[in-house]
Amino acid sequence: MSDMFVGCSIIDMYCKTRLVVLAWRVFYEIPDKNVTAWNVLMSNSVTGGDTGEAVSVFARFRRDGGEANSISFCAFLNGCVDTKNLRLGQQLHGLVVKAGFGGDVSVGNGLVDFYGKCRENDKEKAAFNVFLHALCEGVPPTDFIVSSVLSACAGLAVLQLGSSVSKSLCRWKYLEEEEK
């Protein structure tokens, strides 16, 4: 398989139709695999419910010298969320920062979701801090991140904080609409 785009499309098709053995066969036929080919396997492993496989693919990708991108990190974080694997997610968080993706909006949303849903060891505070950092950087909050932050506030049992977030977001939306 010499065309990366076609190869990735075929891998995606086989994964989505649960013909994973064939997907791997096509993957191995691609001579110069790039991050996209690995991401297709990781993302499909997570959406297919095999988060252990997603973690395994990510580890092999890194061992082979692959440089992760925001899609790689998000797929892996989704796997950590699904398995509620706090320790593994924390390790990935360190790698995210080290690789320079700490300010990436998609990865930041994934981290907030991860810490908010794990609800262990006061990680709701970490989720909330990531949210505040994003706001300070001028990143507009998405509905997804708002939901995760409010979930984190509920985990912290901090009604006043959740209410404050809610009011701030209403002001943010109002200012955003005024600019239009």
Side-chain angles (χ1 to χ4, degrees), residues 57-72:
V57 170
F58 186 84
R60 284 175 40 195
F61 167 64
R62 296 288 295 158
R63 269 194 313 271
D64 286 354
E67 293 291 324
N69 63 17
S70 61
I71 295 169
S72 313

Side-chain angles (χ1 to χ4, degrees), residues 38-39 41-47 50-62 68-96 107 110-111 114:
W38 289 95
N39 285 345
L41 287 172
M42 280 186 278
S43 297
N44 277 297
S45 295
V46 171
T47 57
D50 194 352
T51 52
E53 179 68 10
V55 170
S56 175
V57 170
F58 186 84
R60 284 175 40 195
F61 167 64
R62 296 288 295 158
N69 63 17
S70 61
I71 295 169
S72 313
F73 289 127
C74 289
F76 192 91
L77 273 170
N78 285 334
C80 292
V81 166
D82 290 349
T83 60
K84 303 254 190 289
N85 192 330
L86 181 64
R87 184 173 175 191
L88 194 57
Q90 288 173 318
Q91 290 173 350
L92 182 68
H93 189 172
L95 180 60
V96 162
V107 176
L111 286 167
F114 166 71

Side-chain angles (χ1 to χ4, degrees), residues 10 22 80 88 90 112-113 117 140 154 164 167:
I10 293 170
L22 293 176
C80 292
L88 194 57
Q90 288 173 318
V112 169
D113 185 51
K117 288 182 177 171
S164 163
K167 288 176 188 172

